[in-house]
Amino acid sequence: MTGVGIAQLVAFAVVLVALAIPLGGYMARVYQGEARWSQRVLGPIERGLYRLCRVRPQEDMPWTRYATSILWFSLFSALAVYGLERLQASLPLNPAGFDGVPPNVAFNTAISFTSNTNWQAYGGETTMSHLTQMAALAVQNFLSAAVGMAVLVALIRGFTRRHAPGIGNFWVDLTRTTLYILLPLSIVFALFLVATGIPQTFDHQAAIATLERAADGHPQGLALGPVASQIAIKMLGTNGGGYYNINSAHPFENPTALSNFVQTVSILLIAVALCFTFGRMVKARRQGVVILIAMAVIFVPITLVTTWAEQQGNVTLVDTGVDQVASATQGGGNMEGKETRFGAAASALWATSTTAASNGSVNAMHDSFTPLGGLGPMWLIQLGEVIFGGVGCGLYGMLLFAIVAVFLAGLMVGRTPEFLGKKIEAFEMKMATVGILMPSVCILIGTAIAVATTAGSSTIANPGPHGFSEILYAFSSASGNNGSAFGGITVSGDFYTIALGVCMWLARFIPMIAVLAIAGSLASKKTVPASSGTLPTDGPLFVFLLVGVVILVGALTFLPALGLGPIVEHLSI
Amino acid sequence: MSHDKAAKPLFERAIVRRAIGESFRKLDPRHMIRNPVMFCVEVGSAFTTILFIHAAATGNGDASPGFILAISLWLWFTVLFANFAEAMAEGRGKAQADSLRKARKEVMATRLAEAKRDAAREQVPSSQLKLGDIVLVEAGQAIPTDGDVIEGAASVDESAITGESAPVIRESGGDRSAVTGGTRVLSDWILVRISAEPGKTFLDRMIGMVEGAKRQKTPNEIALDILLAGLTIVFLLVTVTLRPFSTFAVEQQGAGAPVTLTVLVALLVCLIPTTIGGLLSAIGIAGMDRMIQANVLATSGRAVEAAGDVDVLLLDKTGTITHGNRQATAFLPARGVTEAELAKAATLSSLADETPEGKSIVALGKSKHGAAIEVPEGATFIAFSAHTRMSGIDVGGRSIRKGASDTITRHVGGALPPEVRTAVDDVAKRGATPLVVSEGERVLGVVRLEDIVKAGIRERFEELRAMGIRTVMITGDNPLTAAAIAAEAGVDDFLAEATPEAKLAKIREYQAGGHLVAMTGDGTNDAPALAQADVAVAMNTGTQAAKEAGNMVDLDSNPTKLIDVVTVGKQMLITRGALTTFSVANDVSKYFAIIPAAFAGTYPALSALDVMHLHSPTSAVLSAVIFNALIIVALIPLALRGIKVRAAPAAQTLRRNLLVFGLGGLVLPFPFIKLIDVALAGLHLVA
């Protein structure tokens, strides 16, 4: 690894944490109804929305009602996106005159955006009208993120409440998240992105006279649109669905090294901040920090290995005499599929950030990473998207692992396990197991069906282990609600649009229901006071245990599959 | 029932023999289905057996018939070993149940028409006695079933239940009125009102318990089952999907053959948590068994497990923390009186005193001052009476009296000397009882009577504190006395002048704070508190009401045992947790053995993962399976004995167990699998 690579990682961590601490505190105040300043400004809008939608904000929902509200809301959202996609040809704001989106792609996209996955079986600038981008996709970027954060907050209430029948009000959590957190952040961020050169316009293209086309008088059209506003929430809400087909590798979506750095930070910003929010809300700040450290303990080594693997360059090019060494004039390393304005280190950091968080935006082609460089990001997804993870869902997923870790630890010290004063019993274990298993079930079964059928295996571009990796990555990405593409595989056919759509939906909502069930069960329990017989969950030992459980589950579940993909590919070259 | 629990060997020949037979009987799928992990192994064993038959018959099977047979046999062994562990644990209980059953044999009882000894009587078999019937039991007869003594008193031999050969007194009224069916009246007679319906007696419950017939899964066991089932599902998926992955790889690579079903089943069995799955029920049964060995009878496994969670212990002062009788510990003379003089006078006055206090004064006087123990000629002893509230001796013109300070003050007709007054107050403040001694009208001094705190109890409480358990002393003493004893014994809290209501309130108070409370009790007035407590150990000598309110009965009636009960509860959980961790950590090594072996034909590059450099793919798979089976047998003693519980804070215990069972589980299989592999290759048992 080069010095620049290390410096970048350090700067990244410092800026990220420095921004996340105040944001985490602010979010805790929002959810506890203590953000006075913003309530004064935005409160009237909030109350107006409740009146408009006939929501009773005082209503305290039991977990079942909270869950059904989410399911109905998400189903309605998916139908709305589907409708807008299919009908875009006859709707306004379609300057490029795109046709309606084909049914299978529209289905896939509708689920993809409502499940916060943002897997894209289409090229944005050649498929979606401005209206679809703005009213369907960008709206879901906000709402799907807000749903994830709402579920997290409901789970936190489960920990803090005693003998309580309810876990909060979904509509209030959804509204507050969007109005007080996501919208203000996105507006500021979008303005910054415009300043770095990202377009924000209703024009559909800029005509550029290129050298090649100058002779025949046909200028090349560069697709434009309301890009900055969409990119802001795409990054912050761990959505990752690009305006352009090649996502943040596109110069209009991510023009400079500065925009790249800030966008990388924004991938993890809310997920990291939520750890602090969690600590504040459960009145145990160390607990939040400890979970953040556990995430970092997994994230940093994988990032280092990925960066190292990419900066090493391509082994097979060594014999050809290609200069891949970093020097004053070039970044060096494996530059296949990477943008020269970012280089290997910034691409590797983005790759691990976007897969650790279930963001899924890319600034380089993961398919072209070295086998080892591609292994890290893929495994980060397969760990269950809990290393930072998607906004809200990453942390609640990690808390499911924490419940399992605490259960094991409790048995090992001879006490019915407790976490934050709540006894972890059979019901919580059942739900935590379901929540943790669901994505793995989707990944393994999906991949198995794909490799066993012609429909699944015929569209891969590379033979051998790499082709297997491409399929495995696609199902991992969809089932982890990540949305990034390894690439090298055509996914707009019926098989992949439907199979991946099913995976995205199941892997999003089944764990979510399990988490809400746990929240409801915890809220109804009494709180047990800590003693020296209680296992402390805010120290290094717990970090070790939590990391161990996450790694062990991830390794044991995926070692054989990874062995037949990136590992054997790495060993073979 | 035997008391020498330490002497009982783990593997008694008779029990082992019976357990071997049982392990085959337990292969019945209807029994196996209760344990999803081992059921999975049994299905795998049956499946590989079919594969073997198919391969042997057609000559063109899944793999070479010899290999399939070897795998199949070892999978069957895995199931049998797990069954053996369970049968071993049950076997120890069954032996006890047999001896209890002997005590339960049918006897003829004398049923009376009304509660009078001379009422009309008839002979009925004990099994036909109903609730509320009144029976007469005379010397030499067995008590037909459980009941309360309503008239009379008798010495009863309860050795059939408690193992204690010394007879106990059972009498009507008070807290010693309960009698148990199967015990025997040695002398006198009693009228007993039957308090248990046929088939629901104490002895029946006890037999049910030790046989494990009514064993229900405890809450933590259920939660662990869920986790194990989850892991089994994951590994089922991993192995099932490996077949298409492998087929795809073979197609793409054009080399090797898809991984065989035999290897997949072997991999599955190696990965699913068979170690803990196979030993889980043995651990639970052994935990109950340890309770029974300690002569504590729990009404359910749930109660035993709850004992491990208890974080507040309510302990009766008398009998648990102190010896329960006040003993003389010092002579504090008045001015102008020597200590020897006082000792002599006090000893003299107590010579005929049969109370423990009196005897202890004599003992102290003799040991410290060699005071005479000969009864002088012509002495008249004045016994303690409720009227005078003094005792003493009149001899040779001397009139020595001892009694409470106010009594003696009145007796000597005036105030106590100031230094005696101070001594009296000091003694009282320390939680001891002052006894003032006078000769004639002269006050000689004070004898200090103390309730002695049991040796070693302070250290015991310190251990409990380290484990996060608070101890609360319950006493009828006044707060001053209570505080002094509490400080000496090192308890965390005390409840002085305790009434049954105050006890109940204290328990509720702790429970409201989220604590789990354990207590012991024997009297009927303890029943509400026993019923309220999370873990309630009733003394076997106690009343029927107390026994029914509690969820455990201590046959030895030793209140200190509450602490052992907590330890056994913890031990059960720790053993399960440790073996689960061990089991899952083992999987890493098995991957390193099987994955390179399974794909060696397709991807030779994967042999880089074969860190153990095993002899051949066949040997690698077989070695992993054999290790997986043998480790169950190797851990049976650990499962039956339980892991040692140390008095240490949770974090320390966890660190230790993670190191031993987590890291140990990760590393240990590598050398052992290699060893098995070397042995198999050396003996030419594998290709």
Side-chain angles (χ1 to χ4, degrees):
Chain A
M1 262 188 83
T2 61
V4 176
I6 292 168
Q8 176 193 240
L9 189 59
V10 172
F12 174 71
V14 169
V15 172
L16 183 57
V17 173
L19 290 174
I21 291 175
L23 177 60
Y26 170 72
M27 288 194 286
R29 287 197 294 281
V30 167
Y31 290 122
Q32 289 167 332
E34 294 161 4
R36 283 198 215 115
W37 189 83
S38 29
Q39 270 171 341
R40 206 169 304 151
V41 180
L42 299 167
I45 303 176
E46 185 190 349
R47 287 188 290 278
L49 282 171
Y50 294 153
R51 268 195 298 277
L52 193 70
C53 305
R54 298 206 194 148
V55 166
R56 283 176 295 128
Q58 296 80 15
E59 188 199 3
D60 191 28
M61 297 180 173
W63 78 266
T64 43
R65 192 161 151 66
Y66 204 103
T68 41
S69 304
I70 287 183
L71 289 178
W72 282 115
F73 177 74
S74 300
L75 192 67
F76 179 80
S77 298
L79 288 175
V81 173
Y82 183 81
L84 280 167
E85 286 180 89
R86 299 283 294 130
L87 301 174
Q88 68 176 8
S90 32
L91 292 171
L93 284 175
N94 185 6
F98 293 133
D99 287 337
V101 182
N104 64 341
V105 173
F107 162 82
N108 183 279
T109 309
I111 289 182
S112 173
F113 276 73
T114 43
S115 64
N116 197 250
T117 312
N118 299 36
W119 172 267
Q120 293 170 293
Y122 62 91
E125 69 273 37
T126 55
T127 316
M128 302 294 178
S129 72
H130 288 350
L131 185 74
T132 312
Q133 292 272 21
M134 287 161 45
L137 306 186
V139 166
Q140 284 313 313
N141 280 354
F142 280 99
L143 297 180
S144 66
V147 166
M149 290 164 76
V151 172
L152 173 67
V153 172
L155 178 61
I156 294 175
R157 287 197 196 102
F159 281 112
T160 53
R161 291 185 174 183
R162 296 175 184 200
H163 300 298
I167 53 172
N169 185 310
F170 170 64
W171 307 112
V172 171
D173 292 337
L174 181 76
T175 310
R176 289 200 174 153
T177 307
T178 313
L179 195 60
Y180 291 96
I181 299 166
L182 297 177
L183 266 173
L185 274 178
S186 299
I187 290 171
V188 173
F189 192 40
L191 289 174
F192 168 83
L193 292 175
V194 168
T196 64
I198 295 182
Q200 178 73 8
T201 170
F202 278 141
D203 291 346
H204 86 283
Q205 66 175 10
I208 305 289
T210 58
L211 286 175
E212 188 187 345
R213 294 288 182 88
D216 57 18
H218 290 292
Q220 183 180 350
L222 297 181
L224 296 175
V227 184
S229 59
Q230 184 142 341
I231 301 315
I233 186 63
K234 156 201 153 191
M235 304 311 296
L236 288 167
T238 55
N239 295 289
Y243 193 92
Y244 295 101
N245 191 23
I246 59 165
N247 216 297
S248 282
H250 196 290
F252 283 172
E253 195 150 332
N254 186 9
T256 64
L258 176 67
S259 75
N260 187 67
F261 181 81
V262 178
Q263 285 190 17
T264 318
V265 168
S266 68
I267 290 175
L268 296 183
L269 179 63
I270 292 183
V272 171
L274 281 172
C275 291
F276 295 107
T277 309
F278 170 70
R280 277 171 181 265
M281 287 182 75
V282 298
K283 309 226 165 12
R285 293 193 189 188
R286 267 180 70 113
Q287 188 68 64
V289 174
V290 155
I291 288 182
L292 181 59
I293 290 173
M295 292 172 170
V297 165
I298 297 176
F299 177 74
V300 172
I302 293 180
T303 302
L304 291 178
V305 169
T306 307
T307 311
W308 172 82
E310 291 310 300
Q311 290 196 328
Q312 279 299 100
N314 189 337
V315 194
T316 54
L317 290 181
V318 172
D319 294 341
T320 64
V322 172
D323 180 12
Q324 300 185 83
V325 181
S327 66
T329 51
Q330 66 158 7
N334 171 31
M335 283 303 291
E336 182 191 320
K338 294 191 179 62
E339 294 292 301
T340 46
R341 64 186 187 284
F342 305 139
S347 299
L349 178 61
W350 183 297
T352 51
S353 300
T354 196
T355 48
S358 72
N359 186 292
S361 60
V362 291
N363 72 349
M365 292 303 110
H366 293 179
D367 194 28
S368 304
F369 276 32
T370 60
L372 218 51
L375 173 66
M378 177 147 36
W379 199 43
L380 276 170
I381 300 176
Q382 291 167 343
L383 288 179
E385 286 298 9
V386 296
I387 309 309
F388 306 114
V391 289
C393 51
L395 185 52
Y396 72 60
M398 192 61 158
L399 290 173
L400 292 184
F401 274 101
I403 285 175
V404 173
V406 159
F407 178 76
L408 265 184
L411 286 186
M412 273 194 285
V413 300
R415 279 265 299 247
T416 294
E418 294 147 25
F419 187 42
L420 293 166
K422 296 288 188 176
K423 277 204 185 312
I424 303 302
E425 291 165 298
F427 184 75
E428 288 78 25
M429 281 306 292
K430 196 186 291 175
M431 291 300 147
T433 310
V434 168
I436 289 173
L437 288 193
M438 204 55 220
S440 305
V441 170
C442 291
I443 296 171
L444 289 174
I445 292 185
T447 310
I449 294 175
V451 298
T453 56
T454 324
S457 56
S458 62
T459 62
I460 49 171
N462 305 71
H466 199 74
F468 182 74
S469 296
E470 288 166 354
I471 297 174
L472 182 63
Y473 193 103
F475 279 96
S476 301
S477 179
S479 307
N481 292 142
N482 181 282
S484 67
F486 207 52
I489 178 173
T490 309
V491 291
S492 53
D494 283 342
F495 175 79
Y496 278 104
T497 48
I498 293 169
L500 296 177
V502 170
C503 285
M504 286 188 275
W505 191 262
L506 292 179
R508 168 76 166 179
F509 292 105
I510 289 181
M512 200 176 256
I513 293 168
V515 167
L516 289 171
I518 291 176
S521 162
L522 292 179
S524 67
K525 292 185 185 194
K526 62 181 181 183
T527 304
V528 184
S531 74
S532 66
T534 315
L535 179 81
T537 55
D538 58 358
L541 192 64
F542 185 70
V543 171
F544 176 78
L545 197 70
L546 183 55
V547 168
V549 170
V550 172
I551 296 274
L552 207 62
V553 170
L556 293 179
T557 313
F558 292 105
L559 194 75
L562 291 172
L564 296 177
I567 294 177
V568 72
E569 194 186 349
H570 171 74
L571 293 171
S572 309
I573 56 168
Chain B
M1 191 174 302
S2 125
H3 269 275
D4 48 347
K5 44 198 169 196
K8 202 167 182 182
L10 209 51
F11 293 97
E12 260 176 72
R13 187 171 295 175
I15 295 180
V16 171
R17 202 176 305 131
R18 181 148 69 168
I20 291 174
E22 275 295 305
S23 20
F24 284 94
R25 261 190 291 283
K26 282 174 187 283
L27 287 176
D28 184 344
R30 281 167 301 179
H31 172 82
M32 295 297 300
I33 193 94
R34 289 185 49 186
N35 184 339
V37 178
M38 294 320 292
F39 182 71
C40 213
V41 182
E42 189 176 37
V43 171
S45 316
F47 183 63
T48 48
T49 311
I50 295 170
L51 284 180
F52 163 69
I53 296 169
H54 173 251
T58 62
N60 181 25
D62 184 55
S64 82
F67 174 66
I68 306 179
L69 179 66
I71 294 287
S72 180
L73 280 178
W74 278 100
L75 295 188
W76 282 115
F77 281 139
T78 313
V79 185
L80 287 173
F81 291 161
N83 286 349
F84 177 71
E86 191 181 87
M88 275 300 295
E90 285 171 352
R92 285 148 64 87
K94 281 213 173 100
Q96 259 159 355
D98 288 346
S99 71
L100 285 173
R101 240 188 229 106
K102 281 183 201 132
R104 199 181 53 172
K105 58 182 181 273
E106 182 104 83
V107 294
M108 292 306 282
T110 312
R111 181 161 66 188
L112 302 182
E114 52 179 327
K116 277 190 202 143
R117 197 186 170 190
D118 49 5
R121 57 184 66 184
E122 54 175 332
Q123 295 292 316
V124 290
S126 56
S127 59
Q128 284 176 24
L129 288 171
K130 288 188 294 292
L131 212 63
D133 280 353
I134 290 161
V135 295
L136 169 71
V137 190
E138 294 178 299
Q141 288 181 334
I143 295 173
T145 182
D146 297 359
D148 284 311
V149 179
I150 51 171
E151 199 184 326
S155 63
V156 178
D157 172 14
E158 294 195 338
S159 59
I161 306 279
T162 63
E164 188 65 55
S165 52
V168 292
I169 301 295
R170 292 286 177 237
E171 58 193 347
S172 62
D175 291 343
R176 301 277 179 274
S177 64
V179 289
T180 312
T183 57
R184 187 166 288 278
V185 174
L186 294 179
S187 67
D188 308 290
W189 56 270
I190 43 176
L191 291 191
V192 176
R193 179 184 287 120
I194 304 304
S195 62
E197 286 180 60
K200 288 187 183 165
T201 66
F202 188 68
L203 212 52
D204 289 315
R205 266 164 54 197
M206 197 157 161
I207 292 168
M209 240 27 249
V210 294
E211 275 194 324
K214 281 202 288 181
R215 211 179 86 80
Q216 287 175 320
K217 285 186 175 173
T218 61
N220 271 313
E221 218 174 335
I222 293 169
L224 183 57
D225 266 344
I226 291 167
L227 183 70
L228 297 182
L231 284 169
T232 309
I233 292 170
V234 168
F235 291 128
L236 201 60
L237 265 173
V238 168
T239 42
V240 166
T241 55
L242 208 50
R243 175 84 172 189
F245 291 177
S246 160
T247 312
F248 178 73
V250 171
E251 280 167 16
Q252 295 281 312
Q253 215 63 13
V259 55
T260 63
L261 295 176
T262 312
V263 169
L264 283 180
V265 173
L267 179 62
L268 173 66
V269 171
C270 285
L271 293 179
I272 59 175
T274 46
T275 313
I276 179 66
L279 296 173
L280 190 58
S281 61
I283 295 168
I285 298 167
M288 294 292 290
D289 187 50
R290 271 195 297 282
M291 284 289 205
I292 295 161
Q293 299 291 322
N295 263 357
V296 175
L297 178 63
T299 52
S300 69
R302 191 178 288 254
V304 180
E305 200 177 85
D309 283 344
V310 159
D311 54 1
V312 175
L313 290 188
L314 296 193
L315 299 166
D316 274 325
K317 182 197 83 172
T318 312
T320 312
I321 296 170
T322 65
H323 284 289
N325 41 14
R326 291 175 299 179
Q327 300 191 327
T329 54
F331 297 111
L332 309 166
R335 187 172 299 147
V337 181
T338 64
E339 200 179 330
E341 203 177 333
L342 169 63
K344 203 168 169 203
T347 307
L348 207 55
S349 72
S350 306
L351 281 177
D353 191 344
E354 284 299 310
T355 63
E357 288 92 343
K359 284 182 182 165
S360 77
I361 292 175
V362 175
L364 184 73
K366 191 184 162 199
S367 70
K368 278 186 93 172
H369 303 286
I373 52 159
E374 296 291 309
V375 179
E377 290 285 321
T380 318
F381 290 104
I382 315 294
F384 180 88
S385 77
H387 179 64
T388 62
R389 299 176 59 220
M390 295 184 297
S391 64
I393 187 172
D394 286 336
V395 60
R398 296 173 77 187
S399 164
I400 304 172
R401 293 288 182 278
K402 64 179 201 288
S405 64
D406 53 339
T407 319
I408 299 294
T409 310
R410 227 174 296 123
H411 173 68
V412 299
L416 294 176
E419 75 280 1
V420 174
R421 181 81 261 160
T422 318
V424 165
D425 289 346
D426 282 352
V427 170
K429 250 181 232 157
R430 287 192 43 187
T433 310
L435 215 55
V436 182
V437 182
S438 67
E439 183 174 347
E441 298 195 342
R442 180 171 165 234
V443 176
L444 296 177
V446 179
V447 180
R448 189 172 75 206
L449 293 177
E450 275 183 305
D451 199 354
I452 312 261
V453 170
K454 284 184 175 172
I457 201 88
R458 200 187 167 88
E459 290 70 29
R460 204 81 198 258
F461 290 158
E462 268 162 25
E463 279 179 27
L464 288 174
R465 200 168 304 119
M467 291 158 79
I469 298 170
R470 282 171 72 86
T471 44
V472 182
M473 182 181 84
I474 307 286
T475 172
D477 293 342
N478 63 56
L480 212 61
T481 311
I485 296 177
E488 195 185 341
V491 292
D492 296 295
D493 193 4
F494 64 88
L495 179 65
E497 289 169 350
T499 57
E501 296 76 37
K503 265 195 211 181
L504 190 61
K506 192 80 176 174
I507 293 175
R508 289 207 171 124
E509 181 190 320
Y510 273 114
Q511 285 175 335
H515 295 279
L516 241 65
V517 185
M519 71 169 287
T520 58
D522 52 5
T524 300
N525 57 12
D526 280 335
L530 285 168
Q532 179 71 35
D534 300 286
V535 172
V537 184
M539 301 294 107
N540 191 42
T541 53
T543 59
Q544 201 67 34
K547 283 198 216 171
E548 264 165 30
N551 43 21
M552 290 184 203
V553 177
D554 178 14
L555 301 173
D556 296 340
S557 305
N558 170 9
T560 323
K561 217 180 265 169
L562 192 52
I563 300 171
D564 301 327
V565 169
V566 171
T567 315
V568 172
K570 281 200 180 302
Q571 198 175 30
M572 237 161 88
L573 291 182
I574 294 181
T575 311
R576 275 190 214 133
L579 290 184
T580 306
T581 310
F582 184 82
S583 195
V584 177
N586 270 201
D587 284 355
V588 175
S589 61
K590 293 166 188 164
Y591 267 137
F592 279 99
I594 296 182
I595 293 292
F599 299 107
T602 316
Y603 292 128
L606 276 179
S607 64
L609 297 181
D610 181 18
V611 291
M612 286 174 274
H613 299 292
L614 300 173
H615 176 70
S616 68
T618 329
S619 165
V621 176
L622 199 54
S623 303
V625 171
I626 293 176
F627 172 80
N628 191 57
L630 291 182
I631 194 73
I632 296 180
V633 182
L635 290 174
I636 288 177
L638 188 73
L640 295 188
R641 273 205 206 98
I643 286 164
K644 195 166 184 291
V645 178
R646 282 156 211 275
Q652 214 173 312
T653 312
L654 177 65
R655 199 172 305 132
R656 206 194 123 73
N657 285 338
L658 267 183
L659 203 68
V660 175
F661 295 96
L663 198 64
L666 211 59
V667 177
L668 184 85
F670 284 97
F672 278 95
I673 291 178
K674 176 71 184 171
L675 211 64
I676 297 170
D677 173 71
V678 169
L680 287 177
L683 297 169
H684 300 289
L685 291 173
V686 284

